[in-house]
Amino acid sequence: MERNYQQAIAALNSLQSNFSVVKAARTAGTTLNLQSLPEMREWCRKAGYEPADFDRLNVIHIAGTKGKGSTAAFISSILSQYLAPPPTSAAAAAAGADDPSHGPSSSSHLHKIGLYTSPHLRSVRERIRIDNEPLSEEAFARYFFEIWDRLEAAAGAAGLAATDRATKPAYFRYLTLMAFHAYLREDVDTLVLEAGIGGEYDCTNIVRQPSVVAITSLGIDHVAMLGATVEEIAWHKAGIMKPGARAFTVPQPGGAMDVLQRRAHEKGVTLAVVDRLHPALDTLTLGLRADFQRTNASLAIAVAAEHLRVLGLSPLVASSAAHDDDGSQPPLLPLPAAFRRGLEQVRWEGRCQTRPDGRITWFIDGGHTTDSIEAACRWYADETRRSSRRRVLIFNQQTRDAVALAQTLHRALSSPAAAAAAARPFAHVVFCSNVTFRLGGYALDLLALNADGRAVDDLSVQRRLAHAWTAWEATDQPPREMNAGNEGIEPIEPNADARPVPLLPTDVQVCATIEDAVEYVRGLVPRVEDGDGDGDGDGDGDGDDGGILALVTGSLHLVGGFLEVLDQQHQQHQHQRKE
């Protein structure tokens, strides 16, 4: 076997669980959780590690339902301001050494910052970052096969064939193990670690001594593994709390806060609630747009400050908007310039991302839960309400309750506050699969085996979505069967309304691939110029140039494939221009 990046990804993909295995796991529910950590510890030992080896990574552990990745990105960006300056900047560093607001002095700094998140958008390398940059393909392949070889050697010593599936952990566990290995080999001394699913039994929870713990906003997700109530989910998320490490969270819904506080008490952990937005956020522009990111940023400020305090690097940065579980609330301190830079410079693709593309402006968000879809809709509505350009949706969700998520989106953007001047939420709606390219299928890094392959091929999910959307707009409310599991609904042709309506119908399309969906939207621009279509967007001249405001949302698989398609098309266009 060659030892390059492509071969590493092909080998990694062989560790994915196929649809039948995932379906069986969901049926088994929480019973599988109990084996997770003992099994992960054993995989670590086979690779030559004990959980204690990871203590020197100084882990910031993050769990939650919404905002985990964004909060982790904010924290990593803030802490990157406290990295040791490169040798060429020594003089500049020395000049600012006496002013803690300018960042660390040359004798007080971090060495390397790891950031582990999931899932990835376009490249698996995105999951394992050092100083905010993904591992290079060369480094990824090297560390991947180092773990691969160690596990095969352990299997050989146990009398197992190297080709036996039992000689390797599943996809996410393997990546987690490989990430710990890479961070240790790279001498990382701070690791921002995002949990996968849950917390209590998540394979990242082999960490023994985090420096600080964060729990972002909670909601309903992964019910088969975590439970169907926010209280059950809060129990799992609180599992990352460890004695000796302070925990931070934000205001939570229902009884979730009571569960977090009870579990913190049981574990002897001080839980602080960041229930005030830091006032400095009113005077800076966050690198991640959308109003809800201010909550994530405030949590990140508190967590980063605590981490620096624990490491003894910058005690003057102890500024947070949190109160402890005893109700005490320290005064807010001015936000250091290093923190401000980190909050402004953060970049996180696929989350409230705007990408101009000729007369199309793409609004990209990988929201895939009810709450995150609602947040994405608020962001999109805020960004587009003053424009008369035509609104278009590209939507995909292959493994969750796709109709329920689409229903949430339709309701959110049909409200008077969100609808602006548009009669319908969108003039055009495109439902596509998560297959990337028309001819090449999936990009290698985006191959997903956990979806029902037959449903992907026959577009049954997309046709059901088209049926549902058309029915909602025909009746101004979801039909009764849409709230009952979405089973037994016969697909109908897009645009077939149940009865005549006074409003012009939305153009609803089903596309086999993400590339087809993008090409369809691109084709709308000349159609608008020719006067074809329903005429929405004509009027006040504010952006009325045949342009399009396109929202791309529903899944991270969609967003990753979409960005891959856009970049490939851009590269092809640049190549054609050179010719």
Side-chain angles (χ1 to χ4, degrees):
M1 178 188 294
E2 291 185 50
R3 294 301 179 94
N4 59 30
Y5 178 71
Q6 288 70 31
Q7 291 298 324
I9 297 303
L12 178 64
N13 284 338
S14 74
L15 304 180
Q16 288 194 48
S17 299
N18 62 31
F19 175 71
S20 61
V21 173
V22 172
K23 186 176 181 180
R26 288 172 179 160
T27 302
T30 58
T31 58
L32 294 180
N33 285 336
L34 300 177
Q35 303 303 317
S36 177
L37 292 182
E39 290 174 355
M40 188 61 183
R41 293 187 187 100
E42 185 59 27
W43 288 120
C44 288
R45 294 184 183 106
K46 289 178 179 179
Y49 293 111
E50 293 290 339
D53 295 328
F54 309 137
D55 291 349
R56 66 184 177 92
L57 294 174
N58 296 311
V59 172
I60 299 171
H61 207 178
I62 303 173
T65 308
K66 299 171 290 181
K68 287 188 300 179
S70 298
T71 301
F74 275 126
I75 293 169
S76 182
S77 184
I78 290 170
L79 294 179
S80 69
Q81 309 302 315
Y82 291 82
L83 289 167
T88 55
S89 302
D98 294 333
D99 184 355
S101 69
H102 289 156
S105 70
S106 58
S107 61
S108 177
H109 57 254
L110 301 173
H111 178 58
K112 284 185 180 180
I113 300 168
L115 174 61
Y116 183 66
T117 59
S118 61
H120 60 277
L121 284 180
R122 290 188 281 178
S123 168
V124 179
R125 299 182 297 113
E126 298 167 14
R127 297 178 182 235
I128 306 174
R129 298 174 186 253
I130 296 177
D131 295 344
N132 297 314
E133 293 296 328
L135 283 182
S136 67
E137 290 189 356
E138 179 184 8
F140 186 98
R142 180 170 67 253
Y143 297 134
F144 179 91
F145 285 113
E146 285 176 357
I147 291 297
W148 191 270
D149 291 343
R150 292 185 186 190
L151 294 179
E152 291 201 341
L160 297 175
T163 55
D164 191 327
R165 180 67 182 266
T167 63
K168 312 290 189 314
Y171 187 99
F172 184 71
R173 291 186 189 180
Y174 191 99
L175 277 175
T176 302
L177 178 57
M178 174 194 157
F180 282 130
H181 172 66
Y183 292 136
L184 288 173
R185 291 289 299 273
E186 292 282 342
D187 293 325
V188 163
D189 61 351
T190 283
L191 171 56
V192 185
L193 179 67
E194 178 190 346
I197 295 176
E200 177 73 29
Y201 302 115
D202 187 75
C203 66
T204 64
N205 207 27
I206 58 171
V207 171
R208 305 183 320 149
Q209 297 177 353
S211 68
V212 57
V213 163
I215 298 176
T216 64
S217 298
L218 300 179
I220 304 298
D221 197 16
H222 299 294
V223 295
M225 298 293 289
L226 306 180
T229 69
V230 72
E231 290 81 11
E232 291 175 294
I233 290 170
W235 186 91
H236 281 275
K237 304 295 184 180
I240 67 170
M241 296 181 188
K242 302 289 192 306
R246 197 176 184 198
F248 292 84
T249 191
V250 294
Q252 302 291 357
M257 185 63 74
D258 291 338
V259 174
L260 294 181
Q261 290 172 336
R262 182 170 66 251
R263 293 216 71 193
H265 179 74
E266 292 168 355
K267 291 172 174 284
V269 170
T270 299
L271 176 64
V273 182
V274 182
D275 57 2
R276 291 182 293 168
L277 295 178
H278 199 289
L281 299 181
D282 294 330
T283 61
L284 56 83
T285 301
L286 294 176
L288 301 182
R289 302 288 294 273
D291 188 64
F292 67 84
Q293 292 289 4
R294 289 154 55 89
T295 298
N296 296 330
S298 292
L299 179 59
I301 291 169
V303 172
E306 174 67 7
H307 181 72
L308 292 171
R309 186 195 67 79
V310 169
L311 297 186
L313 295 184
S314 187
L316 296 180
V317 182
S319 56
S320 72
H323 67 75
D324 293 334
D325 48 12
D326 64 1
S328 62
Q329 193 168 41
L332 288 172
L333 300 178
L335 198 62
F339 273 51
R340 297 175 68 94
R341 288 195 302 271
L343 294 169
E344 291 177 331
Q345 294 173 5
V346 66
R347 296 294 180 267
W348 202 235
E349 268 199 324
R351 282 77 167 180
C352 297
Q353 178 183 356
T354 303
R355 182 159 171 169
D357 182 14
R359 278 178 292 170
I360 302 173
T361 302
W362 302 101
F363 296 84
I364 310 160
D365 189 86
H368 52 276
T369 67
T370 298
D371 291 336
S372 60
I373 285 288
E374 289 178 343
C377 288
R378 287 193 296 270
W379 164 68
Y380 178 72
D382 288 342
E383 293 289 316
T384 62
R385 70 174 65 256
R386 292 181 178 84
S387 175
S388 61
R389 282 185 166 187
R390 178 171 299 199
R391 289 162 175 78
V392 176
L393 171 68
I394 296 179
F395 183 91
N396 162 261
Q397 176 50 247
Q398 206 70 42
T399 60
R400 299 166 187 259
D401 190 340
V403 173
L405 287 178
Q407 176 181 316
T408 297
L409 189 153
H410 185 275
R411 285 175 171 170
L413 289 176
S414 296
S415 67
R424 297 291 196 190
F426 299 98
H428 305 268
V429 174
V430 184
F431 297 112
C432 64
S433 76
N434 58 6
V435 178
T436 316
F437 297 112
R438 185 182 304 120
L439 297 179
Y442 292 98
L444 184 62
D445 287 71
L446 300 178
L447 178 64
L449 301 180
N450 63 341
D452 184 345
R454 184 168 55 183
V456 172
D457 292 338
D458 65 20
L459 300 175
S460 58
V461 174
Q462 287 68 40
R463 296 186 188 281
R464 191 157 63 243
L465 286 165
H467 174 110
W469 193 279
T470 304
W472 296 334
E473 298 209 338
T475 62
D476 292 327
Q477 61 182 359
R480 183 177 303 170
E481 61 265 28
M482 295 304 168
N483 298 318
N486 312 313
E487 297 296 329
I489 302 173
E490 291 297 324
I492 62 173
E493 291 299 317
N495 298 322
D497 291 333
R499 59 177 173 79
V501 292
L503 300 173
L504 291 170
T506 300
D507 171 34
V508 181
Q509 298 288 329
V510 169
C511 289
T513 71
I514 298 170
E515 183 181 14
D516 289 324
V518 172
E519 285 303 304
Y520 179 78
V521 174
R522 291 197 187 283
L524 294 174
V525 176
R527 285 174 58 190
V528 172
E529 288 177 341
D530 295 339
D532 187 14
D534 62 16
D536 284 359
D538 295 341
D540 62 10
D542 180 15
D544 180 23
D545 58 354
I548 285 173
L549 306 172
L551 174 62
V552 182
T553 193
S555 79
L556 288 167
H557 292 291
L558 166 64
V559 165
F562 169 80
L563 292 170
E564 192 72 14
V565 168
L566 249 59
D567 282 355
Q568 185 181 94
Q569 291 180 341
H570 177 72
Q571 292 169 7
Q572 291 173 345
H573 180 67
Q574 293 294 102
H575 180 71
Q576 291 170 355
R577 290 183 62 183
K578 289 180 180 178
E579 293 180 344

